[in-house]
Amino acid sequence: ILGYTHISLDHESILGKTLKKITIEKSKAIINKNQTTFSVKQKPLVENILNKRVSKNQFKKITTTPPIKYNLKYLRGEHQKTNGGLAAAIAEHLYSKKHFLKLTQKSIQRLIINTKWPGRFDILSKKPTLIFDVGHNTEGIKSFIKTLSLYLQTNKFSQKTLLCGFENNKNINSELLHIAKLFDKIVCTE
């Protein structure tokens, strides 16, 4: 079984400098006719490359998973519902094939609802509010911005300070401009 979350620009020094090259590299994980592959909805370019690999090699069609409909207890952001939908589809597939006999649809939902992922919009403290996020690429930062914007609509703060650090090889300048609008003070390190 193989699952694809959103494929985006990341690890460019290893996978390639373009979304096309990165997707081609990641598509090579689809390796045999018996493999079941799941994916969240991808950008058209990504979907085309993945589907071309499938049809060229006569592999099983990729199942695109919808986001989950229920709320997550610890994970924040719509992107987590998308990833939760992928996890649920894979778990339900394993359940249907009797790979995990104790797994039920109800237990799958309970486990996904209660999943914790330290470092992804992780609220470490409420007084003062301290949020930790390891969004390390363009898509991760965009998800952080969306989630933070929604969080700020229901939680008001007199001052917002961002402490951030990025590797020198990350191409995230345009996202940093969007982040800057959300904070009163920013402290950056490499």
Side-chain angles (χ1 to χ4, degrees):
I1 293 178
L2 176 64
Y4 284 107
T5 57
H6 285 284
I7 295 177
S8 63
L9 293 175
D10 197 12
H11 306 291
E12 290 116 306
S13 61
I14 299 166
L15 300 174
K17 300 263 184 233
T18 66
L19 183 58
K20 181 178 180 179
K21 287 181 179 180
I22 290 168
T23 305
I24 289 169
E25 280 302 309
K26 290 189 174 197
S27 75
K28 293 176 184 174
I30 306 171
I31 56 175
N32 69 55
K33 291 176 176 38
N34 298 321
Q35 186 174 23
T36 302
T37 303
F38 296 90
S39 176
V40 300
K41 183 159 180 44
Q42 302 282 355
K43 293 178 180 172
L45 171 73
V46 173
E47 279 191 27
N48 289 338
I49 292 169
L50 294 177
N51 289 328
K52 186 182 282 186
R53 172 128 176 115
V54 166
S55 63
K56 178 183 172 189
N57 295 292
Q58 298 176 343
F59 295 149
K60 286 183 183 176
K61 186 177 181 303
I62 298 172
T63 302
T64 303
T65 59
I68 54 173
K69 302 275 192 243
Y70 43 87
N71 290 323
L72 302 168
K73 194 171 184 179
Y74 301 105
L75 299 177
R76 292 163 188 86
E78 289 303 308
H79 62 292
Q80 297 297 10
K81 288 186 174 191
T82 300
N83 293 337
L86 178 64
I90 291 170
E92 287 170 9
H93 174 76
L94 291 170
Y95 169 70
S96 72
K97 299 294 183 191
K98 308 286 189 250
H99 290 305
F100 295 100
L101 296 177
K102 293 184 179 182
L103 202 57
T104 65
Q105 288 182 331
K106 191 171 186 166
S107 67
I108 292 167
Q109 183 174 342
R110 181 181 45 78
L111 291 166
I112 290 174
I113 285 172
N114 289 296
T115 296
K116 293 180 182 177
W117 191 359
R120 299 316 308 246
F121 210 89
D122 193 0
I123 299 174
L124 301 177
S125 168
K126 292 220 178 201
K127 288 188 180 182
T129 300
L130 179 61
I131 300 169
F132 178 61
D133 193 281
V134 295
H136 65 285
N137 61 23
T138 302
E139 291 303 315
I141 294 170
K142 285 179 182 176
S143 294
F144 172 74
I145 291 168
K146 284 181 189 174
T147 306
L148 180 63
S149 296
L150 288 172
Y151 187 78
L152 292 174
Q153 289 176 10
T154 57
N155 298 277
K156 303 297 179 200
F157 301 97
S158 58
Q159 183 173 352
K160 299 175 293 297
T161 302
L162 172 68
L163 172 61
C164 59
F166 300 101
E167 292 178 7
N168 193 24
N169 65 353
K170 297 294 180 179
N171 186 11
I172 53 171
N173 292 340
S174 62
E175 282 68 37
L176 292 180
L177 293 174
H178 297 292
I179 286 178
K181 296 174 186 174
L182 299 172
F183 293 93
D184 303 303
K185 181 178 177 184
I186 299 175
V187 179
C188 285
T189 183
E190 185 182 318

